[in-house]
């Protein structure tokens, strides 16, 4: 692939994935170096920094599976990352919305993959709650993935709406 091809495809947006990845790693490094496991610091009436380890996936799914899940989720992260890079390559650099979404998901997937490979678990620390109801503790990689997924869903909704309006105008 030539430099000109790279600039014309969504691969030009890989810089955003790299930034998301390093911000995620930096925040996790800060938490590990400044907090004891389980330590919690109140930031807002509905938000704490709480150092936790997640040996599973979202909502600690399969956390007690005996260790194989580390590699299972790692293979999924590598596969999804490869697919996202392929999609970025297939898109025009000017498809900003979906390229940003793919880059955020990629940065988040790689951030959590790094944790699984290096630590055997994912470092979590963002703890949102209301009264006695607590959302599972998460990290910035999870946030990037959710923002990217939400952007893709919104894009699909808007495209569907535009397609309906176009077909009604005919």
């Amino acid at each position: 692939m030539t430099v000109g091809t790279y600039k014309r495809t969504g691969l030009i947006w890989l810089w955003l994935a790299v930034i998301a990845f390093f911000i995620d790693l930096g925040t996790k490094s800060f938490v590990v170096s400044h907090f004891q496991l389980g330590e919690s610091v109140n930031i807002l009436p509905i938000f704490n920094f709480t150092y936790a380890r997640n040996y599973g996936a979202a909502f600690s799914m399969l956390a007690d599976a005996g260790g194989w899940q580390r590699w299972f989720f790692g293979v999924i992260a590598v596969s999804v990352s490869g697919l996202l890079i392929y999609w970025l390559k297939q898109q025009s650099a000017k498809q900003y919305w979906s390229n940003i979404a793919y880059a955020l998901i990629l940065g988040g997937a790689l951030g959590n993959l790094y944790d699984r490979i290096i630590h055997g678990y994912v470092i979590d620390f963002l703890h949102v709650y209301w009264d006695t109801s607590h959302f599972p503790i998460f990290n910035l990689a999870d946030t990037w993935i959710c923002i990217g997924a939400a952007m893709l869903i919104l894009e699909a909704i808007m495209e569907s709406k535009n397609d309906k309006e176009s077909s009604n105008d005919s």
Side-chain angles (χ1 to χ4, degrees), residues 9-52:
T9 71
L11 290 174
I12 194 81
W13 288 89
L14 285 175
W15 64 268
L16 182 57
V18 171
I19 289 173
F21 173 78
F22 281 111
I23 290 172
D24 177 63
L25 287 188
T27 57
K28 290 173 180 174
S29 177
F30 173 83
V31 169
V32 169
S33 64
H34 290 86
F35 289 75
Q36 296 295 316
L37 183 61
E39 183 179 355
S40 187
V41 173
N42 183 253
I43 306 298
L44 296 170
I46 60 166
F47 177 71
N48 293 342
F49 275 173
T50 302
Y51 177 18

Side-chain angles (χ1 to χ4, degrees), residues 10 22 29-30 63 70 72-73 81 109 113 152 158 168:
F22 281 111
S29 177
F30 173 83
R70 172 185 184 183
F72 174 73
F73 292 126
S81 296
L113 175 64
L152 292 174
M158 295 307 293
N168 287 342

